[in-house]
Amino acid sequence: MTNKIKKIQALEILDSRGNPTIRVKVTLENNINALAAVPSGASTGEFEALELRDGDANRYGGKGVLQACENINTKINKALKGEVVTDQKRIDRIMLDLDGTENKSNLGANAILGVSLACARAGAKAKNKPLYKYLGSTYGFKVKDFSSPVPMFNIINGGKHADSGLSIQEFMILPVGINGSAERIRVGSKIFHTLKTILSTKGYSTGVGDEGGFAPELNSHAQAFELIIKAIEESGYKVGEDIVFAIDAAANSFCDSQSNEYILKPENISLDYNQLIALYLEWIKKYPLFSIEDGLNEEDWDEWKEMKQKLISENKNLMIVTDDLTVTNTKRLQKAIDSNCANAIIIKPNQIGSLSETIECVKTAQKAGWKIIVSHRSGETCDDFIADLAVAVGADFLKAGSLSRGERLAKYNRLMKIEDELK
Ligand code: PGA
Ligand code: ZN
């Protein structure tokens, strides 16, 4: 009875938006088995690895993943049968070689990632270790000082994640002045519920968007900051001390491809990149804005560099975060490091499509002194793998949505469980 892989099976399931995704089950010869499910983005970067979808308009509007499941059940199952599950790097390498393409278009990044994550879970079970400890030791992170990443709670949703009309995709609160996962989550929840009461009193909708944040139809982006400030103060916390702000502009999603201008719907204005940077500067001066993600278009490298210089000269501690620009791809990250256009990176395993490549990207960023934000996708399942991943690699932040919707709270709940275990 060994830790060798006996069987890998895939199942088409639905994600939090009701779209198909993949769940993988890995069974070992000793009958240990483990599951993993794959998330899916909406405001995806152009350079992400390929998410294989069937394209059959008669099933799930073309979004079915039966072909990707078939690839797992046949080709990947055959290639990995008999491999020792704890040899994670070798397992990932075999799948990358089997696929043979740069963007995993052959087998599908969703297929490869599902297997990669399920193998890691099976490996942890085989070694009788919690997943974060297993990942830490497998990839050579310092296992002794696991620290808990600070959650980034996305409490107002816009962009492609809600019909609030806000062009900026995410307004997040970061409890940087509060210690410990459980207490940070409790404080986040308090502010979330206070915001709900404020919105409802003012006659705004309290329905939530894809990531569990509110989606009120506001007149301006500034109003979102003002409402959040009110919610923090009414909850009894200090704005700028206990709690700071972050935004994910996801600027690709409101950049007009013809004119290259950024269209801010609530204000009904159209800005060139210089004017958008000026707006960010205004916000930095006015609000405790600590972090700006995807502030500009994903291919505008020179403009990004200019943005970083200008914003950092206003606040040297500001995080300039890449997501669509780097897509968890070490090559693109290296280009971003070389061009000095940011200082923090979003890490999403499904952007690159395997665990080992995800870790390579984390290590490259850490070596360059960048901050690490491990992140969910807007289409999620209740799989909580990224919480363990964030702890294992010593991530600075975990971005997993708001304080509502089960698929978001699964990650935060796992963070509390890990904290409790490590006490
Ligand atoms: P996505 O959004 O999962 O829809 O890409 C999350 C993000 O942009 O950070
Ligand atoms: Zn993003």
Side-chain angles (χ1 to χ4, degrees):
M1 293 306 227
T2 70
N3 291 331
K4 287 183 179 167
I5 294 171
K6 182 161 84 180
K7 198 175 179 113
I8 305 177
Q9 296 156 286
L11 185 68
E12 182 181 61
I13 61 166
L14 297 187
D15 71 14
S16 56
R17 274 192 283 254
N19 292 327
T21 189
I22 302 171
R23 195 194 70 177
V24 178
K25 180 178 180 185
V26 172
T27 307
L28 308 183
E29 285 178 359
N30 55 18
N31 285 328
I32 284 176
N33 66 66
L35 301 171
V38 180
S40 174
S43 67
T44 46
E46 195 190 329
F47 302 95
E48 295 189 21
L50 183 109
E51 183 179 65
L52 188 62
R53 297 216 176 256
D54 298 333
D56 171 0
N58 293 320
R59 274 191 91 250
Y60 292 119
K63 290 190 166 143
V65 291
L66 294 180
Q67 184 57 52
C69 288
E70 178 71 8
N71 291 345
I72 293 171
N73 291 333
T74 56
K75 294 178 193 162
I76 295 178
N77 179 56
K78 190 169 163 227
L80 293 183
K81 203 174 153 146
E83 291 294 327
V84 176
V85 79
T86 48
D87 205 344
Q88 182 76 38
K89 287 176 211 158
R90 179 177 156 85
I91 284 169
D92 288 339
R93 173 48 49 203
I94 289 171
M95 289 193 283
L96 300 195
D97 290 345
L98 183 67
D99 175 82
T101 66
E102 181 80 20
N103 68 346
K104 304 183 177 64
S105 53
N106 210 337
L107 299 170
N110 42 353
I112 297 174
L113 182 72
V115 175
S116 186
L117 301 184
C119 283
R121 271 223 175 88
K125 277 191 178 178
K127 291 275 180 196
N128 209 10
K129 279 186 185 177
L131 183 57
Y132 59 93
K133 280 193 183 157
Y134 175 75
L135 294 176
S137 57
T138 298
Y139 288 103
F141 288 91
K142 273 194 221 109
V143 202
K144 60 174 177 19
D145 46 27
F146 291 119
S147 62
S148 51
V150 175
M152 301 175 85
F153 299 120
N154 175 15
I155 58 173
I156 293 187
N157 292 186
K160 288 188 175 170
H161 297 164
D163 53 10
S164 60
L166 294 167
S167 305
I168 299 288
Q169 181 177 278
E170 301 171 20
F171 289 82
M172 292 170 275
I173 52 168
L174 284 51
V176 291
I178 313 286
N179 286 325
S181 297
E183 188 58 6
R184 287 168 184 153
I185 291 164
R186 187 192 68 76
V187 170
S189 164
K190 181 158 190 197
I191 295 166
F192 175 77
H193 286 105
T194 307
L195 179 59
K196 183 172 184 174
T197 306
I198 293 171
L199 288 172
S200 137
T201 308
K202 289 182 183 288
Y204 290 109
S205 153
T206 56
V208 297
D210 285 356
E211 298 192 349
F214 299 114
E217 284 183 42
L218 305 178
N219 302 324
S220 70
H221 291 92
Q223 206 190 344
F225 289 120
E226 301 292 346
L227 285 163
I228 296 173
I229 288 176
K230 196 167 156 54
I232 296 169
E233 286 173 348
E234 278 187 23
S235 303
Y237 294 97
K238 291 200 186 75
V239 177
E241 245 173 81
D242 297 324
I243 314 287
V244 296
F245 295 174
I247 57 169
D248 180 2
N252 297 331
S253 62
F254 60 96
C255 183
D256 182 81
S257 55
Q258 300 292 310
S259 64
N260 222 25
E261 296 227 312
Y262 297 92
I263 297 160
L264 295 181
K265 260 200 271 166
E267 292 86 357
N268 197 17
I269 48 171
S270 176
L271 306 177
D272 66 22
Y273 81 94
N274 261 313
Q275 292 169 311
L276 185 58
I277 295 172
L279 181 63
Y280 294 147
L281 277 170
E282 198 183 307
W283 287 346
I284 293 168
K285 285 181 197 157
K286 222 161 155 190
Y287 308 113
L289 184 55
F290 172 86
S291 170
I292 298 177
E293 176 182 340
D294 279 348
L296 296 175
N297 218 1
E298 67 197 352
E299 268 302 56
D300 295 350
W301 295 90
D302 294 339
E303 290 84 348
W304 266 83
K305 193 174 171 186
E306 212 177 311
M307 171 172 70
K308 186 190 169 197
Q309 281 165 355
K310 285 185 179 160
L311 298 183
I312 290 285
S313 66
E314 182 60 37
N315 174 359
K316 66 176 185 353
N317 296 320
L318 197 74
M319 290 209 299
I320 311 291
V321 185
T322 66
D323 174 14
D324 292 344
L325 189 82
T326 39
V327 292
T328 319
N329 179 316
T330 304
K331 282 188 197 151
R332 288 186 69 88
L333 167 62
Q334 195 57 56
K335 183 171 171 184
I337 292 168
D338 294 342
S339 66
N340 190 21
C341 67
N343 56 20
I345 185 172
I346 290 283
I347 297 291
K348 294 169 170 168
N350 87 318
Q351 284 181 323
I352 188 69
S354 76
L355 181 58
S356 297
E357 290 166 291
T358 302
I359 300 285
E360 185 195 353
C361 189
V362 168
K363 287 190 170 175
T364 305
Q366 284 174 334
K367 223 180 191 174
W370 284 33
K371 291 264 192 288
I372 304 294
I373 303 166
V374 170
S375 168
H376 68 160
R377 300 307 304 248
S378 54
E380 267 293 339
T381 70
C382 289
D383 189 306
D384 54 12
F385 195 105
I386 58 166
D388 287 74
L389 178 65
V391 172
V393 305
D396 303 279
F397 298 93
L398 174 66
K399 184 182 160 188
S402 182
L403 283 306
S404 79
R405 297 189 60 136
E407 77 281 2
R408 311 297 145 186
L409 292 169
K411 284 72 167 169
Y412 296 133
N413 286 340
R414 175 67 187 148
L415 215 50
M416 291 197 278
K417 172 87 180 348
I418 295 174
E419 179 176 70
D420 191 52
E421 264 174 42
L422 290 173
K423 255 184 210 160

